[in-house]
Amino acid sequence: MLTLLDNDENIFRAIKAGAGGYLLKDVTPGESHNALVETMKGGAIMTPSFVLKTVKLFRNRITFDDMSGNHDFNLSAREIEA
């Protein structure tokens, strides 16, 4: 996921929804390319500051409301292509 949103809830929701990584849009083109390559190889890439946030989320077992339901993220057909 490439995004401007860096709050805990969005990180957690993206991972729960199947994101193979979570990067902020301010990454360099080279970092973005490397992240895509690593994700395609089965890796999970995150902006370094998110790794600590994610560890804290799981360590503290933080939950967010309505995490079990389906969410409409208003993705285009191209965006949801597998």
Side-chain angles (χ1 to χ4, degrees):
M1 179 158 190
L2 187 61
T3 183
L4 290 171
L5 306 173
D6 67 348
N7 66 47
D8 295 348
E9 185 174 358
N10 287 330
I11 296 167
F12 189 76
R13 286 181 187 270
I15 293 168
K16 189 158 174 80
Y22 200 95
L23 298 173
L24 287 178
K25 287 187 175 183
D26 64 355
V27 295
T28 67
E31 290 169 325
S32 180
H33 172 78
N34 291 339
L36 287 171
V37 170
E38 287 302 314
T39 301
M40 291 175 67
K41 290 180 181 177
I45 303 299
M46 285 190 164
T47 297
S49 63
F50 294 155
V51 175
L52 181 57
K53 282 185 176 193
T54 303
V55 169
K56 286 180 180 179
L57 285 171
F58 286 103
R59 234 184 239 153
N60 297 325
R61 298 183 185 265
I62 295 172
T63 58
F64 298 102
D65 295 327
D66 194 29
M67 288 304 296
S68 60
N70 290 330
H71 299 280
D72 181 9
F73 293 103
N74 295 318
L75 299 177
S76 69
R78 178 75 173 135
E79 290 170 323
I80 59 176
E81 272 183 18

